[in-house]
Amino acid sequence: MRTSLQWIKDLVPGLTCTPQEYMDAMTMSGSKVEFFEEFDRDLDKIVVGRIEKIEKHPDADKLVVCQVNVGSGTIQIVTGAPNAQEGALVPVVLDGGRVAGGHDGTRTEGGIKIKAGKLRGVPSNGMMCSIEELGSSRDLFPEAPESGLYIFAPESGVQPGDDAIEALGLHDTAIEYEITSNRVDCFSILGLAREAAATFHLDKKFPYVPATGDSDDVNNYISAEIVDDDLCSRYTARVVKDVKIAPSPAWMQKRLRSQGIRPINNLVDITNYVMLEYGQPMHAYDLDTIAGHKLSVKRASDGDVFTTLDGQERNVDHDTLMICDGEKQVGIAGIMGGENSMITDNVKTMVFEAACFDGTNIRLSSKRIGLRTDASGIFEKGLDPNNAMEAMNRACALVEELGAGTVVGGAVDIYPHKREGLRIPFEPDRYNAMLGTDVDRETQLQYFKAIDLVYDEATNEMVIPSWRQDLITYADMAEEVARFYGYDKIPTTLPKGTSTAGKLSYKKRIEAKTREVAQFAGYSQAMTYSFESPKVFDKLLLAADAPERNAITIANPLGEDFSIMRTMSLNGMLTSLATNANRRNKNVHLYEMANIYLPKALPLTELPDERMTLTLGFYDEKEDFFDLKGVVEELLSTMGMNEKLSYDANAGRPYLHPGRQANIIYNGKVLGFIGEVHPLVRANYNLGERTYIAVIDMPQVVEQASFDRKYTPITNFPASTRDLSLLTKKDMEVGEIEAVFDREGGQYLESYELFDVYVGAGIDPDYKSVAYSLTFRAKDKNLADTDVNEAMDRIINGLSAIDVNMRS
């Protein structure tokens, strides 16, 4: 399957990616791209020029000297093209530009650079081009001469100086896909545009198809019947009268050329266009050649001989499906029409046909006859019969849009057994279990909605459109989740069941490394009960409607103090710290790796979400909030998670000190929290000293951690340092300042360090002074003062934008 990238972008307006980015993303989401070809590769500085004057070359009989208006002025070009004529609008490559190849059609890697020079002693400042020199051919541009310059038609509307490549529709890329046969919907531009929109999370804008047809009735012109409905599930036909054959508009010709199809005329081009756009082959008959104005879909007889459009006689048999009129055969269904009903320039009234034939029969018939066409290649994959009338209506809308004729009102539509969409139960947990992922229910529904699957909330089922014939069971639905979630994001897990592989799972390795870091930082492991008392929520100052209070009640508890499953890990940690404090143990640092139990519904209808949680807690008169923050950052750095880390001071957690708490944010999501325990909570646990707590959700760490490391050698070049003393409002977080450093510091900013914070004499009471040391270093050179000064200027401007001022 081949598509024009520009055509896809027209249907998905927000798509702005490069061909390589498109290829990578579409391949990862399941629409494998084999390769792409940029039509404008090696084409540069090519504009439209008008030949104003032609003179004979003084020293060459076969050369002429042309004065060419290229918009910005008139240049002189020497050419030997036999069709050069005054007033002609032609492609002109300017001095220093490039063309794709020679006039013989061979394409040169990297193109051919055109330079100003002399031809037989006469200056020539560019070159006028043939279509072959632009990397295309007369197969796609039949109006181009066999030998000579390409000349734009007067009705093209181009002017001197216009981009000639744009005018020819060559600023485009052909994308070649390897589509599996079960994805017949992707053998169309609309199908692949739908996939592109879902892959890039963008809205699609498919063409509007208005109602068509005059007050006349199609039944007054044509009738149809399906005799062998086992081989034809649907047959539709519409009539167009007052046919006017003419060239197609430029936009349609450009799109057809981008698909490798040569434009012929408006009627032929419409059928080709709709086949590409909808993946539905169509055929047109001259109504005056249809005997009895009736069409029948039925098997041929053994020994029949039929002459197809290409003038060849074909032997057909009883297993070949034919389109017949009242007297004769007029087409081989799904393969090729007949010579006896072909559209000619004298056609007055024509019949459009769009049908759905049995794919297996078309494939076998095509093989027996020895004739395989674009249409048969599509039909043999098994089309959706519901697509036939949509394609028919689109074709008729294009007929009216292009002024190719008058569409007769109504349509012949024979559809004996309507195909309905399948219904598959929506089972998000089952999909996750199969994939080893943790994609939430709403995200999965968003994936399905993006590809036009409809969720029936009343029955908890996904309604599958008839054109998605590949979606049959839950495994197919899981595949849809996997490809839009990202195969590269699915975590590696050990196979279930017995295994002789002597290696921890990825999850266990993360947990082991977490324990290692905590112990390295001086924390001792604690183990507490998963059973708790409902009273702990009051001790932690949780509101009456706090979600943490929705705990699972144990059916046969040991007592009230062990009657629920914990929904948070703070009580166990604070109890352990209080026990140590009561026993006069100084400077206690503890960590715990344990599950919390979050019910999906109460009363329980399924197993709860058991989430592994890391809890760090300590009291130490020599350490504070920032020491704990350092441990958290060391842990995440070890897991390869330091680049997208930030903090939000507006955590709003009642059990923490209101001015000394923060949510830990990674990659835009809350990973956990950190802070000093609220004084009232400390009193509830009999903790006299300031106590600090950090809690991290380990499943998110497992999902985003990476042990991949990239070695960066130590540079031999010296560093350059700058100190900044800044005046800012007292309530501004230094993280906002450091964000400016990261954003504006550029490639040479190696590090920065806060070394002073001052509040007091000489400073407005509402302000504070902070001082940073910034280090700049290049890996490949000694830095000049200008390199550092430019970075500092950007930083200072960025700080000014957030109301941070330099101190003199």
Side-chain angles (χ1 to χ4, degrees):
M1 179 63 190
R2 173 190 174 111
T3 70
S4 153
L5 181 56
Q6 186 57 52
W7 197 347
I8 297 293
K9 288 183 176 181
D10 291 341
L11 295 170
V12 187
L15 190 60
T16 58
C17 61
T18 65
Q20 185 64 52
E21 291 169 341
Y22 180 86
M23 173 178 172
D24 294 342
M26 291 293 284
T27 298
M28 290 303 297
S29 68
S31 302
K32 183 183 178 184
V33 177
E34 288 286 282
F35 61 87
F36 62 85
E37 178 188 1
E38 297 173 287
F39 297 139
D40 57 0
R41 175 172 57 92
D42 305 326
L43 300 179
D44 187 29
K45 297 178 70 175
I46 302 176
V47 300
V48 175
R50 182 170 57 223
I51 303 175
E52 303 286 4
K53 184 178 180 182
I54 298 177
E55 297 176 336
K56 293 190 65 175
H57 193 289
D59 291 326
D61 293 337
K62 295 184 178 181
L63 298 178
V64 293
V65 181
C66 302
Q67 304 301 320
V68 184
N69 178 2
V70 293
S72 59
T74 300
I75 63 173
Q76 179 170 287
I77 298 176
V78 179
T79 182
N83 64 334
Q85 54 186 307
E86 292 183 359
L89 292 162
V90 297
V92 177
V93 56
L94 303 177
D95 180 26
R98 291 181 181 274
V99 293
H103 63 273
D104 59 353
T106 57
R107 192 154 190 159
T108 303
E109 185 64 32
I112 299 173
K113 189 170 185 178
I114 305 301
K115 297 181 180 179
K118 291 184 178 182
L119 284 177
R120 300 291 293 270
V122 176
S124 183
N125 299 307
M127 186 181 80
M128 295 179 286
C129 306
S130 67
I131 199 66
E132 288 80 10
E133 287 164 331
L134 298 179
S136 192
S137 69
R138 294 182 65 248
D139 289 338
L140 299 181
F141 292 85
E143 70 277 16
E146 185 173 350
S147 176
L149 306 177
Y150 180 84
I151 298 178
F152 290 98
E155 60 269 20
S156 64
V158 298
Q159 298 295 327
D162 289 352
D163 184 346
I165 304 307
E166 176 65 28
L168 291 168
L170 296 178
H171 282 315
D172 201 355
T173 301
I175 309 292
E176 192 69 36
Y177 307 81
E178 182 185 324
I179 303 298
T180 54
S181 295
N182 66 330
R183 286 303 307 273
V184 67
D185 59 298
C186 286
F187 287 92
S188 68
I189 301 292
L190 295 184
L192 285 166
R194 184 184 292 109
E195 289 293 307
T199 298
F200 291 92
H201 311 293
L202 297 170
D203 293 330
K204 53 187 178 292
K205 187 178 180 181
F206 285 0
Y208 169 68
V209 181
T212 55
D214 61 8
S215 59
D216 211 340
D217 185 357
V218 69
N219 295 302
N220 296 329
Y221 292 81
I222 192 73
S223 63
E225 64 175 349
I226 300 176
V227 176
D228 296 298
D229 60 5
D230 58 324
L231 300 182
C232 179
S233 56
R234 188 178 193 182
Y235 188 86
T236 68
R238 295 193 70 177
V239 172
V240 177
K241 61 185 180 181
D242 303 326
V243 172
K244 300 178 183 65
I245 293 181
S248 300
W251 65 266
M252 179 174 283
Q253 292 192 31
K254 288 179 181 179
R255 285 186 171 178
L256 291 174
R257 288 191 186 108
S258 70
Q259 297 294 114
I261 294 179
R262 179 170 63 93
I264 298 174
N265 59 50
N266 49 8
L267 295 181
V268 176
D269 292 351
I270 285 172
T271 59
N272 286 331
Y273 187 89
V274 172
M275 181 176 72
L276 292 170
E277 191 174 51
Y278 279 77
Q280 171 66 54
M282 299 186 66
H283 190 65
Y285 302 97
D286 186 338
L287 181 61
D288 293 336
T289 66
I290 304 299
H293 289 187
K294 180 179 180 180
L295 293 172
S296 298
V297 185
K298 58 185 179 180
R299 284 179 165 88
S301 299
D302 290 334
D304 285 351
V305 177
F306 180 72
T307 303
T308 49
L309 277 170
D310 57 4
Q312 300 293 313
E313 291 187 347
R314 311 285 179 177
N315 295 316
V316 295
D317 57 22
H318 177 73
D319 291 325
T320 305
L321 191 66
M322 304 296 293
I323 309 297
C324 306
D325 64 12
E327 299 174 355
K328 61 187 179 298
Q329 298 166 340
V330 294
I332 306 176
I335 300 177
M336 185 176 282
E339 188 178 45
N340 55 11
S341 61
M342 66 186 296
I343 298 291
T344 66
D345 291 344
N346 299 319
V347 65
K348 301 300 181 184
T349 307
M350 69 172 190
V351 180
F352 264 142
E353 167 195 277
C356 186
F357 305 116
D358 180 74
T360 301
N361 177 264
I362 296 297
R363 179 177 61 83
L364 295 175
S365 297
S366 177
K367 186 176 181 181
R368 286 195 310 274
I369 297 170
L371 176 62
R372 194 171 192 274
T373 61
D374 290 340
S376 68
I378 296 176
F379 274 121
E380 67 187 26
K381 294 172 175 61
L383 298 187
D384 172 24
N386 293 322
N387 193 42
M389 185 54 76
E390 293 181 14
M392 174 67 75
N393 291 336
R394 173 62 166 159
C396 291
L398 287 171
V399 167
E400 292 191 349
E401 181 180 339
L402 273 56
T406 301
V407 179
V408 175
V412 174
D413 186 7
I414 306 172
Y415 197 0
H417 309 289
K418 183 175 176 58
R419 178 182 294 178
E420 302 290 347
L422 187 66
R423 285 176 171 264
I424 300 177
F426 176 53
E427 303 173 290
D429 292 339
R430 193 175 186 186
Y431 309 152
N432 280 324
M434 185 176 191
L435 299 172
T437 57
D438 188 23
V439 182
D440 63 82
R441 172 191 179 93
E442 292 304 318
T443 300
Q444 292 187 23
L445 287 175
Q446 289 174 12
Y447 293 157
F448 296 150
K449 182 180 179 181
I451 52 175
D452 295 341
L453 308 188
V454 178
Y455 175 57
D456 186 342
E457 188 172 0
T459 61
N460 191 41
E461 291 177 319
M462 298 305 305
V463 181
I464 312 301
S466 56
W467 40 263
R468 281 306 301 270
Q469 302 174 26
D470 59 308
L471 300 182
I472 300 172
T473 183
Y474 81 92
D476 301 318
M477 303 300 291
E479 181 184 6
E480 298 302 292
V481 173
R483 67 193 187 95
F484 290 116
Y485 174 72
Y487 293 113
D488 55 326
K489 296 179 183 177
I490 297 177
T492 303
T493 57
L494 285 173
K496 294 181 179 180
T498 58
S499 173
T500 58
K503 183 179 180 180
L504 292 175
S505 68
Y506 188 73
K507 174 177 179 291
K508 293 295 184 182
R509 289 170 59 199
I510 294 291
E511 293 173 2
K513 182 60 69 173
T514 300
R515 293 186 179 92
E516 182 181 313
V517 172
Q519 291 166 3
F520 176 81
Y523 286 72
S524 299
Q525 185 171 9
M527 297 182 68
T528 63
Y529 290 110
S530 297
F531 303 157
E532 289 183 340
S533 168
K535 297 177 182 178
V536 303
F537 302 125
D538 295 328
K539 294 176 70 175
L540 294 171
L541 309 182
L542 288 171
D545 59 349
E548 292 87 349
R549 290 181 179 268
N550 296 324
I552 301 168
T553 302
I554 299 171
N556 297 299
L558 298 175
E560 185 183 8
D561 289 342
F562 303 95
S563 61
I564 62 171
M565 302 294 293
R566 64 181 174 191
T567 57
M568 53 192 312
S569 58
L570 289 187
N571 176 67
M573 177 57 68
L574 294 177
T575 300
S576 296
L577 291 173
T579 301
N580 280 275
N582 292 335
R583 294 176 181 174
R584 301 182 182 275
N585 290 330
K586 296 183 178 181
N587 306 331
V588 175
H589 299 71
L590 299 177
Y591 80 91
E592 182 181 21
M593 291 275 289
N595 285 334
I596 59 173
Y597 304 86
L598 306 178
K600 298 173 183 176
L602 288 176
L604 284 180
T605 57
E606 54 184 319
L607 292 175
D609 182 11
E610 298 186 28
R611 300 191 71 83
M612 180 66 71
T613 301
L614 169 66
T615 307
L616 299 167
F618 78 88
Y619 58 84
D620 189 332
E621 59 184 12
K622 297 180 181 179
E623 296 185 15
D624 59 13
F625 173 95
F626 296 100
D627 293 283
L628 181 57
K629 179 171 175 280
V631 176
V632 170
E633 291 179 352
E634 174 66 23
L635 169 65
L636 297 180
S637 176
T638 303
M639 303 301 174
M641 297 173 60
N642 52 341
E643 292 185 0
K644 301 177 182 178
L645 180 64
S646 61
Y647 299 86
D648 180 9
N650 300 314
R653 299 183 183 272
Y655 37 80
L656 297 180
H657 192 292
R660 300 167 190 158
Q661 60 171 287
N663 280 335
I664 303 168
I665 310 295
Y666 185 77
N667 201 16
K669 295 182 179 180
V670 177
L671 190 67
F673 59 86
I674 182 174
E676 180 181 333
V677 177
H678 195 289
L680 294 179
V681 175
R682 281 197 290 115
N684 289 339
Y685 284 90
N686 296 320
L687 283 163
E689 296 185 40
R690 286 185 172 181
T691 305
Y692 299 86
I693 290 285
V695 175
I696 295 176
D697 183 36
M698 290 305 296
Q700 291 193 63
V701 174
V702 173
E703 180 182 341
Q704 303 183 78
S706 172
F707 288 130
D708 294 336
R709 297 293 183 269
K710 182 178 180 181
Y711 169 72
T712 302
I714 298 174
T715 180
N716 295 325
F717 297 96
S720 179
T721 60
R722 296 285 191 277
D723 290 345
L724 278 179
S725 181
L726 308 170
L727 188 66
T728 180
K729 290 183 179 179
K730 187 179 290 185
D731 59 353
M732 175 175 280
E733 299 174 2
V734 294
E736 294 183 54
I737 298 174
E738 293 176 357
V740 173
F741 294 164
D742 291 332
R743 186 175 65 250
E744 305 293 349
Q747 61 177 325
Y748 300 131
L749 180 60
E750 183 179 77
S751 63
Y752 48 81
E753 181 180 5
L754 175 67
F755 66 84
D756 184 58
V757 178
Y758 174 75
V759 177
I763 301 291
D764 189 303
D766 295 329
Y767 284 77
K768 63 183 175 182
S769 172
V770 296
Y772 275 91
S773 177
L774 287 77
T775 301
F776 297 87
R777 192 195 308 267
K779 298 178 181 179
D780 56 352
K781 67 175 183 178
N782 287 321
L783 287 178
D785 285 343
T786 55
D787 295 326
V788 179
N789 291 339
E790 288 176 2
M792 291 298 296
D793 289 342
R794 291 196 304 270
I795 289 172
I796 292 170
N797 290 335
L799 292 172
S800 298
I802 62 171
D803 200 21
V804 177
N805 301 312
M806 296 285 297
R807 291 197 66 201
S808 57

